[in-house]
Amino acid sequence: MKTCDLFKKKTVLSFEVFPPKRTDAVDTVYTTVAALKELSPDFISVTYGAGGGRATCEATLAIASAIKHEYGIESVAHLPCIGLTKAEAASQLERFKEAGIENILALRGDMPEGGTPAGDFAHANELISFIRERYDFNLIAACYPEGHTESESVLADIGHLKNKIDAGATQLISQLFFDNDYFYRFLERCRLAGIGVPIEAGIMPVANKKQIERMVTLCGVTLPKKFSAMMSRYENDPEAMRDAGIAYAVDQIVDLIAQGVDGIHLYTMNNPYIARRIHEAVHRLL
Ligand code: FAD
């Protein structure tokens, strides 16, 4: 099933999982997926380490394929194009196609330290056009409620986002954010720019302070005062921090659903316990 069709019927709930770093630990992700299945997500997406070579591609492919065929849940395979030649991209796409995967999150990928690697794609819109001209995948793109870290302004970023839609993306998933007002302003600007596709809100429940500090550096997201206060108060009490993080995410999600969001994409961090607690709190609202 093409995941873009899901939004016609309901508020979508989807999850993200990642392949474990150690290849000998890959089975642990299947325990996670089995637990997530009990929450009846509309789809599960699988990340792909940019520049990770063949092993990364294999892991994403195997997990996305198992989610679809063994667990009976629609899957989305992420595909960053940075450093890829067109021939390499085509070879990976052929493998996704052979595995029966119908949905691709087409990304550029993060710039590695030390400059731009050689490859045939400068930006995600080029990958999207490349795929659209040759394949029948449903194409999803990433978006950034507070602007991408490299963009000169949110408006310039939205201009580039429109190129991804014009190239063939049919739905968007947002980067995480902790202040819903940024997301609402972003939605308004997207609609004004003529972007009418469904936009899922990316929500990351906070489990520890280190993880957030990494995210802030990497993604440049704003931490609201009440969020920072929560982190300071519970930083030395992991269980309290986890519970506070769940409560914060639930609060964000309830507000987003009340405002009519198209969907919620939960960055599960491969932690089904947290996903289940959030699901318990919000599933009747979807
Ligand atoms: P692009 O759309 O190419 O945008 C990158 C930057 O270039 C932006 O600042 C944009 O404004 C600018 N830009 C775009 N087009 C042009 C143009 N024509 N001229 C000038 N500037 C332009 N990374 C991974 O490696 N693996 C993953 O699995 C992964 N999953 C992700 C899932 C989600 C939901 C999100 C939000 C991000 C994910 N990322 C992943 C991170 C992503 O790869 C990075 O954020 C990356 O830096 C940008 O990717 P993009 O596809 O948005 O790039």
Side-chain angles (χ1 to χ4, degrees):
M1 174 197 271
K2 295 190 170 171
T3 52
C4 57
D5 292 333
L6 292 163
F7 297 88
K8 294 172 196 155
K9 298 178 210 145
K10 67 187 289 276
T11 310
V12 165
L13 175 68
S14 56
F15 297 144
E16 179 187 281
V17 297
F18 56 83
K21 273 215 174 80
R22 282 180 30 216
T23 45
D24 60 342
V26 77
D27 280 352
T28 59
V29 80
Y30 295 118
T31 313
T32 300
V33 171
L36 294 177
K37 180 180 162 77
E38 289 174 22
L39 312 181
S40 308
D42 292 300
F43 67 86
I44 298 182
S45 81
V46 187
T47 67
Y48 184 126
R54 199 162 176 79
T56 314
C57 174
E58 291 303 324
T60 302
L61 175 70
I63 297 164
S65 176
I67 288 172
K68 185 171 167 100
H69 302 297
E70 288 167 36
Y71 294 88
I73 306 164
E74 198 45 68
S75 68
V76 171
H78 296 207
L79 179 61
C81 60
I82 197 158
L84 289 185
T85 62
K86 286 185 177 173
E88 286 165 339
S91 139
Q92 299 195 2
L93 288 158
E94 283 300 332
R95 309 238 10 242
F96 286 143
K97 189 175 145 190
E98 278 162 24
I101 289 161
E102 293 180 66
N103 305 285
I104 305 276
L105 174 47
L107 299 149
R108 184 197 66 182
D110 281 322
M111 287 288 184
E113 276 171 36
T116 320
D120 289 338
F121 304 95
H123 289 288
N125 67 303
E126 295 172 17
L127 176 66
I128 293 169
S129 299
F130 178 81
I131 302 176
R132 177 60 68 237
E133 283 160 18
R134 292 163 180 81
Y135 297 92
D136 185 37
F137 293 109
N138 174 50
L139 296 174
I140 305 164
C143 64
Y144 304 84
E146 298 185 52
H148 184 263
T149 43
E150 287 166 38
S151 66
E152 49 218 79
S153 68
V154 177
L155 287 182
D157 207 30
I158 288 176
H160 297 310
L161 185 59
K162 178 77 166 60
N163 291 340
K164 298 201 265 194
I165 306 302
D166 294 343
T170 59
Q171 71 187 85
L172 297 170
I173 301 180
S174 92
Q175 179 170 265
L176 61 110
F177 56 89
F178 297 109
D179 180 345
N180 288 0
D181 285 343
Y182 281 105
F183 186 75
Y184 299 137
R185 266 199 297 276
F186 171 73
L187 281 187
E188 261 176 48
R189 287 167 163 169
C190 283
R191 301 318 181 204
L192 285 172
I195 296 172
V197 301
I199 304 180
E200 276 190 284
I203 298 293
M204 179 175 282
V206 179
N208 64 66
K209 197 175 173 203
K210 245 196 191 150
Q211 168 207 356
I212 287 307
E213 284 166 351
R214 208 181 133 255
M215 288 298 159
V216 171
T217 316
L218 200 71
C219 311
V221 293
T222 305
L223 298 184
K225 255 194 195 156
K226 64 175 181 177
F227 187 90
S228 302
M230 175 184 91
M231 285 209 303
S232 305
R233 183 163 178 105
Y234 303 118
E235 64 179 308
N236 297 317
D237 183 342
E239 284 188 7
M241 176 67 109
R242 185 197 61 202
D243 286 355
I246 290 169
Y248 194 95
V250 167
D251 188 47
Q252 274 193 284
I253 294 170
V254 170
D255 180 52
L256 286 159
I257 295 173
Q259 302 283 342
V261 71
D262 294 314
I264 302 290
H265 187 70
L266 202 63
Y267 294 105
T268 70
M269 305 303 285
N270 290 7
N271 186 329
Y273 172 81
I274 291 182
R276 184 167 56 75
R277 293 265 313 267
I278 292 177
H279 181 263
E280 270 168 14
V282 305
H283 75 277
R284 283 189 197 81
L285 315 179
L286 293 166

